[in-house]
Amino acid sequence: MANNLPTETTSGAQYVTGKTSGLVEALANVSLLKSEEHFRDNIREYITSPYDKMTPPEKVKKRPDGYDYVESSYMDFETKKFMPLYEYKLLHYSNDMGWISVIVSLTDRTTMNTELGAGSARVQVSRGVETPGFRDVIDMSNNIKAALTNAIKNAQSRFGIAADIYQRRESIPDDAERKRFDEIKKAVYAISPTRAKMFADQWQDLGTDWTEFLDKWQVYVDRNSQVKQKSDNLI
């Protein structure tokens, strides 16, 4: 800062002393510090702004299990208003135990903050099919779209979009869900102790959507029970 100060003016030679130079530099640093604090405050206000917005009641729907949700079109619209510059990346895709699972990342290109989103959807098959094959699957593209939509909405909610709807789901399982967990864990253990450990670990890390998670593993138990029953009938 001191090097940029003039050492002469039209009124005559005026030399900047070391003491004056140090004072000017100190004042400049204080001004810069205030500017940085103001910048941090602006960034903080920007990042937290979605959390302050309440979802209009007419946009809130109710799932069969009683949870509220909002449609993906509303989530996309609010996300694009909040972060006009954004980027999605597909990080994981799997099709296992009759469920499609997807993990995506969503990056705000303004702040470069990134959040992950996970979603799953059950593969829809024809009714009455005990052991479904590829030909029994109903519109695989829609199954994939459903899983991807769930993952994207999950990432959007982590930025605070519709936080009043989705982030209040973070909870603990109720007594009925805990009882069902114990029952399914015993059934899974009878099939595979390794799978039972996986089931228990995923439960501990879940934090929400307990019923949907248990439904997914119930499909695994039911299908293995059907296979065992067929095997017993052949004996």
Side-chain angles (χ1 to χ4, degrees):
M1 294 292 297
N3 293 335
N4 293 330
L5 295 173
T7 57
E8 285 192 23
T9 66
T10 56
S11 61
Q14 292 183 345
Y15 294 93
V16 179
T17 65
K19 184 181 292 186
T20 304
S21 175
L23 177 61
V24 172
E25 186 172 355
L27 291 173
N29 288 337
V30 170
S31 177
L32 180 61
L33 179 60
K34 289 183 177 179
S35 177
E36 289 177 349
E37 290 176 350
H38 181 65
F39 175 74
R40 286 196 296 270
D41 289 342
N42 286 343
I43 289 294
R44 189 179 300 110
E45 182 179 354
Y46 167 78
I47 291 174
T48 59
S49 60
Y51 293 88
D52 299 327
K53 181 171 183 178
M54 301 298 293
T55 304
E58 65 272 15
K59 298 295 184 181
V60 181
K61 314 293 183 182
K62 192 170 290 291
R63 299 191 333 189
D65 59 8
Y67 278 119
D68 293 335
Y69 75 97
V70 295
E71 294 181 343
S72 59
S73 56
Y74 174 80
M75 297 284 288
D76 289 339
F77 178 70
E78 290 299 319
T79 299
K80 289 171 182 175
K81 283 201 304 182
F82 168 61
M83 58 172 91
L85 302 176
Y86 61 91
E87 179 182 23
Y88 287 108
K89 287 185 179 179
L90 177 63
L91 304 180
H92 169 80
Y93 168 86
S94 64
N95 187 342
D96 187 32
M97 296 190 298
W99 284 77
I100 294 173
S101 299
V102 174
I103 298 176
V104 301
S105 66
L106 171 58
T107 300
D108 182 349
R109 297 297 298 275
T110 302
T111 62
M112 297 309 294
N113 288 344
T114 298
E115 294 287 356
L116 301 182
S120 61
R122 183 181 295 177
V123 177
Q124 302 298 315
V125 298
S126 303
R127 291 185 178 182
V129 179
E130 294 183 358
T131 307
F134 178 77
R135 294 183 181 276
D136 301 307
V137 174
I138 302 173
D139 199 346
M140 179 61 84
S141 63
N142 277 342
N143 298 327
I144 296 174
K145 287 177 186 176
L148 185 59
T149 296
N150 290 338
I152 290 174
K153 288 174 66 176
N154 183 232
Q156 292 168 337
S157 70
R158 293 181 185 279
F159 275 99
I161 307 300
D164 58 321
I165 302 300
Y166 288 106
Q167 296 202 9
R168 72 186 183 193
R169 287 191 187 181
E170 297 295 329
S171 60
I172 59 175
D174 58 30
D175 291 340
E177 290 167 331
R178 289 183 182 278
K179 181 180 179 181
R180 190 179 175 204
F181 164 78
D182 291 334
E183 293 172 349
I184 294 179
K185 183 179 178 181
K186 290 179 182 178
V188 173
Y189 187 87
I191 299 169
S192 167
T194 302
R195 289 279 189 176
K197 184 179 183 307
M198 181 191 302
F199 171 65
D201 290 343
Q202 291 178 359
W203 173 267
Q204 291 296 326
D205 295 337
L206 191 60
T208 186
D209 289 342
W210 310 99
T211 299
E212 184 175 334
F213 173 78
L214 293 171
D215 287 344
K216 173 180 177 180
W217 279 91
Q218 188 65 57
V219 172
Y220 170 76
V221 172
D222 292 344
R223 286 187 176 175
N224 277 272
S225 298
Q226 291 173 1
V227 170
K228 185 177 183 305
Q229 185 176 4
K230 275 190 172 183
S231 178
D232 292 343
N233 290 338
L234 294 175
I235 297 176

